[in-house]
Amino acid sequence: MDLWWLLWISLLFLVPFILMEISSGFKFHFKLVYYCAMCLLLSALAAPMCLLTNGGRTVNNMRIISRVVRTLKYFFGVRFEVKGLENFQIDGPCVIISNHQSILDMMGLMEILPDRCVQIAKKELMYAGSVGLITYLGGVIYINRKRTSDAKSIMAAVAQAMISDNLKVWIYPEGTRNNSGDLLPFKKGAFHLALQAQVPIIPVVYSSLTSFYNQKKNLFTGGTVKVEILPKIDTSGLTENDITDLTERCHQTMRQVFFRLSNKPYESNGQSNCAQ
Ligand SMILES: CCCCCCCCCCCCCCCCC(=O)SCCNC(=O)CCNC(=O)[C@H](O)C(C)(C)COP(=O)(O)OP(=O)(O)OC[C@H]1O[C@@H](n2cnc3c(N)ncnc32)[C@H](O)[C@@H]1OP(=O)(O)O
Ligand SMILES: CCCCCCCC/C=C\CCCCCCCC(=O)OC[C@@H](O)COP(=O)(O)O
């Protein structure tokens, strides 16, 4: 008899808990699927608009893409508080670096995307159905992260194109999505590119999404993302020998801003910030 009571009482507590877990998990995954479906749908709608307006693969399509992607935030209750937009007002090309937390970053990217700006992306994105097509039409540059030598030669060609076509290039120097509440060490490609093209670097920092988007906690509600565009960092006169210093300087500056925007106390990590 005692055993039955124990079973009933445990069920009384366990069933709502399991249901809550299932439903919040369901809600999280449902919202993620909904986000991907919206990206696929909007890309499928934007692709003909790009083709009809600009004919094919060109950075001019980014204007259409960013306008369309900017509508996404209303569906997901995400808002952006942007500071420092004036720092994008520079003549000519530059390398823009920013932190990368999740696929939701596409909204933050398109919210402030300056004119004539293409992104560097992993080549797998090319195969993401209509999203792959829209990235192709927008002029996104694909790299194979597993082959450093290929990535380097593509980046060298990009350095030339930046100058000849007056392009800004957006790179996520962490090289992958990172929702840990800190920045990963930076890869060096962005800094080589800036030096090769002899163009300035503009760091952009997005506050942590973890308060409203957290994969570990199955959390995806609405919230505000603080964005800060920092003043440009000049690279003129720097050489290959300065790459590590430059990388560390940018990482440290962005990390400080990231902690400030995320309302977290700054923690010095006391180790090299460059990916080895
Ligand atoms: C309409 C609705 C649409 C809805 C959908 C929305 C679509 C919107 C469209 C926008 C699309 C945006 C897409 C964004 C996608 C974001 C991503 O895919 S992030 C992942 C891909 N990006 C990156 O990986 C960029 C950052 N990575 C690097 O820069 C890397 O350095 C690397 C070039 C990939 C090389 O990788 P790895 O070998 O792992 O890196 P390192 O440790 O840094 O370098 C090793 C070694 O090589 C030297 N080196 C690196 N780069 C160069 C270079 N360019 N030239 C010369 N040498 C280089 C480096 O110095 C290291 O040597 P060392 O001796 O140790 O110093
Ligand atoms: C017919 C084929 C159908 C394919 C279906 C593909 C489903 C995907 C659909 C929509 C995805 C929308 C994502 C928007 C663009 C996201 C860009 C992005 O954030 O890429 C991640 C990349 O930065 C780093 O990747 P990793 O963290 O290293 O991994």
Side-chain angles (χ1 to χ4, degrees), residues 29-66:
H29 289 109
F30 175 80
K31 265 190 130 172
L32 258 193
V33 170
Y34 178 46
Y35 178 79
C36 291
M38 286 296 282
C39 286
L40 286 165
L41 178 75
L42 291 182
S43 302
L45 292 175
M49 280 156 72
C50 291
L51 284 168
L52 288 173
T53 315
N54 295 310
R57 177 170 158 92
T58 155
V59 62
N60 296 331
N61 284 329
M62 278 298 170
R63 282 194 193 165
I64 298 172
I65 298 168
S66 70

Side-chain angles (χ1 to χ4, degrees), residues 39 42-43 46 62 65 68-69 100 106 109-110 119-122 125 131 134-135 140 143 145 148 151-152 155 171-173 175-176 187-190 192 196 275-276:
C39 286
L42 291 182
S43 302
M62 278 298 170
I65 298 168
V68 175
V69 176
H100 191 15
M106 293 310 105
L109 165 75
M110 293 302 169
Q119 304 81 21
I120 302 267
K122 59 176 185 181
L125 198 58
V131 171
I134 206 72
T135 59
V140 168
I143 54 165
R145 291 181 294 184
T148 307
K152 281 186 202 171
M155 305 278 265
I171 303 186
Y172 292 107
T176 187
K187 305 268 185 184
K188 292 180 179 159
H192 279 284
Q196 281 161 11
Q276 294 304 317

Side-chain angles (χ1 to χ4, degrees), residues 25 36 67 75 77 84 98 100 130 169 178-179 204 208 214 233 239 242 253 262 275:
C36 291
R67 230 172 275 160
F75 292 90
S98 77
H100 191 15
S130 53
V169 177
N178 161 44
N179 196 211
V204 175
S208 172
N214 192 325
I233 295 172
T239 67
D242 302 307
T253 307
S262 311

